[in-house]
Protein backbone atom coordinates (compact mmCIF):
# COMPACT_ATOMS: atom_id res chain seq x y z
CA UNK A 1 0.00 0.00 0.00
CA UNK A 2 2.77 2.43 0.92
CA UNK A 3 4.60 1.67 -2.31
CA UNK A 4 1.76 3.29 -4.25
CA UNK A 5 1.88 6.48 -2.16
CA UNK A 6 4.57 8.97 -3.16
CA UNK A 7 5.87 12.27 -1.89
CA UNK A 8 8.37 15.00 -2.68
CA UNK A 9 9.06 18.06 -0.55
CA UNK A 10 8.16 20.49 -3.35
CA UNK A 11 5.09 18.64 -4.56
CA UNK A 12 2.47 21.41 -4.67
CA UNK A 13 -1.02 21.87 -6.07
CA UNK A 14 -1.15 22.06 -9.86
CA UNK A 15 -3.60 23.81 -12.17
CA UNK A 16 -3.60 22.49 -15.75
CA UNK A 17 -0.26 20.89 -14.92
CA UNK A 18 1.22 24.20 -13.76
CA UNK A 19 2.45 24.37 -10.12
CA UNK A 20 0.48 26.94 -8.12
CA UNK A 21 3.67 28.71 -7.10
CA UNK A 22 6.14 31.38 -8.20
CA UNK A 23 5.33 34.95 -9.16
CA UNK A 24 2.04 36.27 -10.49
CA UNK A 25 3.59 37.49 -13.73
CA UNK A 26 5.15 34.09 -14.41
CA UNK A 27 1.83 32.35 -13.73
CA UNK A 28 0.00 34.72 -16.10
CA UNK A 29 2.49 33.98 -18.86
CA UNK A 30 2.13 30.23 -18.34
CA UNK A 31 -1.65 30.48 -18.49
CA UNK A 32 -1.46 32.61 -21.64
CA UNK A 33 0.65 29.83 -23.15
CA UNK A 34 -2.26 27.50 -22.39
CA UNK A 35 -4.52 29.64 -24.58
CA UNK A 36 -6.08 32.02 -22.04
CA UNK A 37 -6.32 35.75 -22.74
CA UNK A 38 -5.30 38.34 -20.17
CA UNK A 39 -7.90 41.04 -19.45
CA UNK A 40 -5.94 43.97 -18.03
CA UNK A 41 -9.03 45.89 -16.90
CA UNK A 42 -10.30 42.97 -14.79
CA UNK A 43 -6.78 41.72 -13.97
CA UNK A 44 -7.74 38.16 -14.86
CA UNK A 45 -7.42 35.63 -17.63
CA UNK A 46 -10.35 34.56 -19.76
CA UNK A 47 -11.01 31.39 -21.69
CA UNK A 48 -12.56 27.94 -21.52
CA UNK A 49 -11.99 25.49 -18.68
CA UNK A 50 -13.69 22.11 -18.28
CA UNK A 51 -16.29 23.04 -20.88
CA UNK A 52 -17.27 26.42 -19.42
CA UNK A 53 -16.27 30.01 -20.12
CA UNK A 54 -14.38 31.25 -17.06
CA UNK A 55 -12.35 34.03 -15.52
CA UNK A 56 -9.11 32.97 -13.84
CA UNK A 57 -7.70 35.10 -11.03
CA UNK A 58 -4.14 34.66 -9.77
CA UNK A 59 -3.91 35.42 -6.04
CA UNK A 60 -0.66 35.89 -4.15
CA UNK A 61 0.72 36.12 -0.64
CA UNK A 62 4.10 37.80 -0.12
CA UNK A 63 4.56 37.86 -3.90
CA UNK A 64 4.10 34.09 -4.19
CA UNK A 65 1.11 32.54 -5.92
CA UNK A 66 -0.95 30.61 -3.40
CA UNK A 67 -4.33 30.38 -5.13
CA UNK A 68 -5.83 30.09 -8.59
CA UNK A 69 -9.50 31.11 -8.54
CA UNK A 70 -11.62 29.97 -11.47
CA UNK A 71 -15.04 31.62 -11.75
CA UNK A 72 -17.85 31.02 -14.24
CA UNK A 73 -18.06 33.95 -16.63
CA UNK A 74 -21.84 33.61 -17.00
CA UNK A 75 -24.40 32.88 -14.29
CA UNK A 76 -27.10 30.22 -14.65
CA UNK A 77 -30.41 29.45 -12.97
CA UNK A 78 -30.97 27.38 -9.83
CA UNK A 79 -31.91 24.14 -11.57
CA UNK A 80 -28.84 24.31 -13.81
CA UNK A 81 -26.42 25.09 -10.96
CA UNK A 82 -27.54 21.95 -9.10
CA UNK A 83 -26.73 19.85 -12.14
CA UNK A 84 -23.40 21.62 -12.64
CA UNK A 85 -22.41 21.22 -8.99
CA UNK A 86 -23.31 17.52 -8.91
CA UNK A 87 -21.55 16.92 -12.24
CA UNK A 88 -18.35 18.47 -10.88
CA UNK A 89 -18.57 16.29 -7.78
CA UNK A 90 -18.96 13.22 -9.98
CA UNK A 91 -15.98 14.25 -12.11
CA UNK A 92 -13.73 14.74 -9.09
CA UNK A 93 -14.86 11.53 -7.41
CA UNK A 94 -14.03 9.52 -10.52
CA UNK A 95 -10.68 11.21 -11.15
CA UNK A 96 -7.76 9.16 -9.82
CA UNK A 97 -5.77 12.36 -9.24
CA UNK A 98 -8.07 13.39 -6.37
CA UNK A 99 -9.34 12.12 -3.06
CA UNK A 100 -12.32 13.74 -1.25
CA UNK A 101 -11.62 15.78 1.87
CA UNK A 102 -14.87 14.44 3.31
CA UNK A 103 -14.48 10.68 3.68
CA UNK A 104 -18.00 10.23 5.06
CA UNK A 105 -20.72 10.45 2.43
CA UNK A 106 -20.69 12.30 -0.88
CA UNK A 107 -21.08 15.92 -1.88
CA UNK A 108 -24.39 16.15 -3.69
CA UNK A 109 -27.38 18.47 -3.87
CA UNK A 110 -30.76 16.73 -3.83
CA UNK A 111 -33.34 17.47 -6.50
CA UNK A 112 -35.76 18.87 -3.91
CA UNK A 113 -33.19 21.17 -2.26
CA UNK A 114 -34.22 24.83 -2.36
CA UNK A 115 -30.76 26.32 -2.56
CA UNK A 116 -32.07 29.87 -2.99
CA UNK A 117 -33.89 29.66 0.34
CA UNK A 118 -31.05 27.84 2.11
CA UNK A 119 -28.44 30.35 0.96
CA UNK A 120 -30.46 33.50 1.64
CA UNK A 121 -32.28 32.50 4.84
CA UNK A 122 -29.99 29.92 6.46
CA UNK A 123 -26.69 31.21 5.02
CA UNK A 124 -25.89 27.68 3.87
CA UNK A 125 -22.73 27.19 1.82
CA UNK A 126 -22.68 24.63 -0.94
CA UNK A 127 -19.11 23.50 -1.38
CA UNK A 128 -17.03 20.40 -2.03
CA UNK A 129 -13.34 19.87 -1.26
CA UNK A 130 -10.71 17.47 -2.56
CA UNK A 131 -6.99 16.89 -2.30
CA UNK A 132 -4.70 16.25 -5.22
CA UNK A 133 -3.07 12.87 -4.89
CA UNK A 134 0.68 12.75 -4.43
CA UNK A 135 2.50 11.43 -7.49
CA UNK A 136 6.21 12.10 -7.11
CA UNK A 137 8.95 10.00 -5.52
CA UNK A 138 8.95 9.20 -1.83
CA UNK A 139 11.60 11.07 0.15
CA UNK A 140 12.55 8.44 2.74
CA UNK A 141 14.78 10.86 4.68
CA UNK A 142 11.92 13.28 5.25
CA UNK A 143 9.62 10.38 6.12
CA UNK A 144 12.16 9.09 8.65
CA UNK A 145 12.42 12.52 10.26
CA UNK A 146 8.63 12.65 10.52
CA UNK A 147 8.49 9.23 12.18
CA UNK A 148 11.18 10.20 14.69
CA UNK A 149 9.31 13.43 15.49
CA UNK A 150 6.40 11.27 16.64
CA UNK A 151 8.33 8.49 18.35
CA UNK A 152 11.85 8.40 19.76
CA UNK A 153 14.33 5.83 18.50
CA UNK A 154 14.43 4.20 21.94
CA UNK A 155 10.64 3.89 22.07
CA UNK A 156 10.58 2.44 18.58
CA UNK A 157 13.37 -0.02 19.36
CA UNK A 158 11.43 -1.42 22.34
CA UNK A 159 8.51 -2.43 20.13
CA UNK A 160 8.04 -5.92 18.75
CA UNK A 161 8.61 -6.45 15.03
CA UNK A 162 4.87 -6.56 14.40
CA UNK A 163 4.33 -3.39 16.44
CA UNK A 164 7.13 -1.65 14.53
CA UNK A 165 5.57 -2.56 11.21
CA UNK A 166 2.12 -1.38 12.30
CA UNK A 167 3.58 1.83 13.71
CA UNK A 168 5.44 2.59 10.47
CA UNK A 169 2.31 2.02 8.40
CA UNK A 170 0.12 4.14 10.66
CA UNK A 171 2.53 7.07 10.91
CA UNK A 172 3.35 6.90 7.20
CA UNK A 173 -0.31 7.15 6.31
CA UNK A 174 -0.71 10.02 8.77
CA UNK A 175 2.32 11.71 7.19
CA UNK A 176 0.93 11.39 3.67
CA UNK A 177 -2.47 12.67 4.83
CA UNK A 178 -0.79 15.75 6.35
CA UNK A 179 0.99 16.47 3.08
CA UNK A 180 -2.08 15.99 0.93
CA UNK A 181 -4.01 18.63 2.89
CA UNK A 182 -1.52 21.16 1.51
CA UNK A 183 -2.82 20.41 -2.02
CA UNK A 184 -6.41 21.55 -1.71
CA UNK A 185 -8.86 21.96 -4.59
CA UNK A 186 -12.40 23.00 -3.74
CA UNK A 187 -15.39 24.72 -5.25
CA UNK A 188 -18.56 26.45 -4.14
CA UNK A 189 -21.76 28.01 -5.42
CA UNK A 190 -21.95 31.80 -5.47
CA UNK A 191 -25.22 33.69 -6.01
CA UNK A 192 -25.56 37.20 -7.37
CA UNK A 193 -28.75 38.95 -8.54
CA UNK A 194 -30.60 35.66 -8.94
CA UNK A 195 -27.89 34.01 -11.04
CA UNK A 196 -25.61 31.25 -9.81
CA UNK A 197 -21.92 30.67 -10.42
CA UNK A 198 -19.34 28.00 -9.61
CA UNK A 199 -16.09 29.29 -8.14
CA UNK A 200 -13.17 26.86 -7.95
CA UNK A 201 -10.02 27.28 -5.87
CA UNK A 202 -6.69 25.57 -6.49
CA UNK A 203 -4.74 26.31 -3.29
CA UNK A 204 -1.09 25.86 -2.47
CA UNK A 205 -1.39 25.81 1.31
CA UNK A 206 2.37 26.17 1.71
CA UNK A 207 2.18 29.73 0.37
CA UNK A 208 -0.94 30.97 2.17
CA UNK A 209 -0.79 33.56 4.95
CA UNK A 210 -0.26 32.00 8.37
CA UNK A 211 -0.05 35.16 10.44
CA UNK A 212 3.63 35.76 9.72
CA UNK A 213 2.93 39.41 8.88
CA UNK A 214 1.06 40.16 12.10
Amino acid sequence: MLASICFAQKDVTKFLGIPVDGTKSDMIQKLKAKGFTYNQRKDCLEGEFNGSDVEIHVITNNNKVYRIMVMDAMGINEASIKIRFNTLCHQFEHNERYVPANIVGKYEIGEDEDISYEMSVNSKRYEAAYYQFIKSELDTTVLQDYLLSKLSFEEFDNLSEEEKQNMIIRLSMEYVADIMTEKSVWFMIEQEYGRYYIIMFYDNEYNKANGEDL
Side-chain angles (χ1 to χ4, degrees), residues 150-166:
K150 300 292 184 178
L151 190 72
S152 71
F153 182 80
E154 290 76 16
E155 290 173 317
F156 181 78
D157 198 43
N158 288 329
L159 299 176
S160 68
E161 289 304 313
E162 182 178 357
E163 289 173 329
K164 287 178 182 178
Q165 189 174 32
N166 290 337

Side-chain angles (χ1 to χ4, degrees), residues 4-54:
S4 67
I5 298 175
C6 316
F7 167 71
Q9 282 180 284
K10 293 185 178 181
D11 188 19
V12 300
T13 311
K14 292 181 176 61
F15 175 70
L16 293 175
I18 305 170
V20 181
D21 203 357
T23 66
K24 181 176 181 177
S25 59
D26 284 345
M27 176 61 72
I28 289 173
Q29 292 305 313
K30 290 174 182 178
L31 290 172
K32 287 171 69 175
K34 291 283 186 179
F36 294 96
T37 303
Y38 180 64
N39 185 320
Q40 187 170 8
R41 181 178 64 84
K42 293 184 176 181
D43 189 23
C44 71
L45 295 112
E46 298 173 328
E48 185 178 313
F49 175 72
N50 195 36
S52 298
D53 291 329
V54 299

Side-chain angles (χ1 to χ4, degrees), residues 17-208:
I18 305 170
V20 181
D21 203 357
T23 66
K24 181 176 181 177
S25 59
D26 284 345
M27 176 61 72
I28 289 173
Q29 292 305 313
K30 290 174 182 178
L31 290 172
K32 287 171 69 175
K34 291 283 186 179
F36 294 96
T37 303
Y38 180 64
N39 185 320
Q40 187 170 8
R41 181 178 64 84
K42 293 184 176 181
D43 189 23
C44 71
L45 295 112
E46 298 173 328
E48 185 178 313
F49 175 72
N50 195 36
S52 298
D53 291 329
V54 299
E55 295 179 353
I56 300 176
H57 298 263
V58 180
I59 302 171
T60 63
N61 173 54
N62 285 332
N63 298 317
K64 288 185 178 180
V65 177
Y66 89 92
R67 168 176 285 175
I68 297 295
M69 184 178 79
V70 184
M71 181 176 181
D72 288 346
M74 300 293 292
I76 54 180
N77 61 33
E78 182 174 348
S80 297
I81 202 68
K82 289 181 188 179
I83 295 171
R84 177 147 160 67
F85 183 91
N86 289 341
T87 298
L88 273 174
C89 291
H90 180 82
Q91 290 174 338
F92 273 98
E93 288 161 8
H94 290 82
N95 189 324
E96 64 179 9
R97 297 194 302 273
Y98 291 90
V99 294
N102 176 20
I103 61 174
V104 180
K106 292 185 177 182
Y107 303 106
E108 187 174 340
I109 301 175
E111 290 184 9
D112 297 330
E113 182 92 358
D114 186 343
I115 65 173
S116 175
Y117 176 84
E118 293 295 340
M119 292 178 73
S120 61
V121 177
N122 297 326
S123 300
K124 184 173 180 178
R125 281 172 58 117
Y126 292 92
E127 60 183 37
Y130 301 85
Y131 301 129
Q132 286 187 345
F133 200 71
I134 302 166
K135 291 289 185 181
S136 46
E137 292 185 0
L138 179 67
D139 189 327
T140 54
T141 301
V142 175
L143 175 57
Q144 179 177 297
D145 290 344
Y146 180 85
L147 297 178
L148 290 177
S149 72
K150 300 292 184 178
L151 190 72
S152 71
F153 182 80
E154 290 76 16
E155 290 173 317
F156 181 78
D157 198 43
N158 288 329
L159 299 176
S160 68
E161 289 304 313
E162 182 178 357
E163 289 173 329
K164 287 178 182 178
Q165 189 174 32
N166 290 337
M167 180 65 70
I168 289 173
I169 292 174
R170 183 178 68 80
L171 291 179
S172 296
M173 294 299 292
E174 180 183 300
Y175 167 71
V176 170
D178 285 348
I179 298 305
M180 287 177 64
T181 60
E182 306 299 326
K183 303 177 64 179
S184 173
V185 179
W186 60 287
F187 56 93
M188 61 181 287
I189 295 176
E190 182 72 19
Q191 187 268 349
E192 187 173 289
Y193 302 116
R195 306 296 286 176
Y196 296 86
Y197 304 79
I198 290 290
I199 305 179
M200 302 182 67
F201 304 90
Y202 286 73
D203 291 346
N204 175 359
E205 300 289 345
Y206 292 109
N207 288 350
K208 75 174 183 180

